[in-house]
Amino acid sequence: MTSRRGSFEAQPPIAPRRRRRPIAAAATAVALLPTLFTASACGGPADAATNADDLTVMTWAPSGTGSADRPGMTALAEAIGRDVNTKGGLNGRRIRVLTCNEHNTADGATACAQQAVDAKAVAVIGSYSQYGDRFMPVLERAGIPLIGGYGLTQPEFSSPLSYPVAGGMPALIGGSGRQLVEAGCKAVALIRPDTPAGDNLLGYLANALKPAGIKLLDVKAPEQSSDYTQVIRKAVGKDEPGNCITSALAAEPTGNLLDSYRRVAAKNTRVASVIGSVQQSVVDSTGGDSGPLAGAYVTGWYPPESARIWDGLRAVVRSDAAGGRSIDVADPGVQTTWVAYEVFRQVTERLSSAGRPVTAKTVTALLDSGEQVDVGLTPPLNWGTTNMLPSTESPRLVNTWVTYQVVKGGRMTLQQPGFVDVRWVLTGSKPPA
């Protein structure tokens, strides 16, 4: 499969035999994205004047809890609601966007899901929670689909009512492994949380490295710490040429990890990470091009924030619809929320054009039908039965494509054009010839 540049700046490809998928050309994307949900109607007193014809949706994320916070996701959802309604609604109907702080707790996630049920939401869109085993059963009993969850938990990739738009941490860590193989690494240390979720990542990275015979070192780390010196020393080891480390911690702990890495002053070890652990704000806060992330490899779900294909998102964030709130467009949670709302827009347009009502049931039926949904920011998405991942644990992980990025000139940029398919890594299959 070949790849075309579109209008994205990128470095030359680093491997001629990799399966790649083109990223949609910016001209097409710019034509599509301004029609996005840029309007108001968030939960609370401001929605007292709602009526029966409104389309109610919900987005939740933790706020005020520490490193797990994703307030930009709910802030963007509210801005999307305002913009849509300012421009006449979605296919002529007001959209009522409810938001919920799930407080990074199981009870909070359950309460948010129940609020969506009580409000008769037609979908939960975007959203971030580590407690999929608590919120998905609530949504399933009510028949409410989850479109574009962040992908932290196994139920998001197994529930028949979950429609993930990205491959979550499995795709990222598998992609990071392949990126490091092609960078010439001889040994890779994975710095990951000492949690069950972290345990799962190890297998995906092992699948990615095994065909190249690369040694893998598992380095468990606390989810939060102000000093990761011992963790870094274990990961760096003898600091020999060809030694590489990749991290899968949250953004704030990753910043602390990089401070420790700077103090250890490794000369030969190369740094890599996954989006969410490293994003542009982390690059900036750790010194940009003069910091430890200079030249670092990063595996992402989407094109980097600097790409023109995100112009529609930037326009909403800078508009009056954002209400003056700061929303980081480089945050992968924000980006996932944007993509998820675009999926919902396309679904509602198709239902309306067919003269069908927009309900949780009809949204689910259309998503299950096998029709492709192409929003230009991922390869076309398809949740039909024939497109499921052949995995008992993660059959709903249908987007197995990632992007390879590199920190260059203090900015995260595409390392090469197009998407890379890591489906074979996720299924433990043989690499493509």
Side-chain angles (χ1 to χ4, degrees), residues 316-331:
V316 171
V317 167
R318 294 169 182 167
S319 71
D320 292 340
R325 287 172 295 181
S326 177
I327 301 173
D328 182 5
V329 297
D331 183 334

Side-chain angles (χ1 to χ4, degrees), residues 183-248:
C185 296
K186 304 301 181 185
V188 174
L190 170 64
I191 300 175
R192 51 85 169 188
D194 187 10
T195 63
D199 294 342
N200 293 335
L201 298 181
L202 195 64
Y204 294 116
L205 186 56
N207 288 348
L209 301 177
K210 185 177 180 180
I214 293 177
K215 179 182 177 182
L216 171 60
L217 175 64
D218 181 22
V219 182
K220 298 177 182 179
E223 287 190 275
Q224 291 204 41
S225 176
S226 59
D227 185 359
Y228 286 97
T229 301
Q230 294 306 314
V231 170
I232 285 293
R233 284 178 177 164
K234 181 178 179 180
V236 169
K238 296 181 180 180
D239 189 28
E240 298 173 335
N243 190 41
C244 301
I245 60 175
T246 186
S247 68

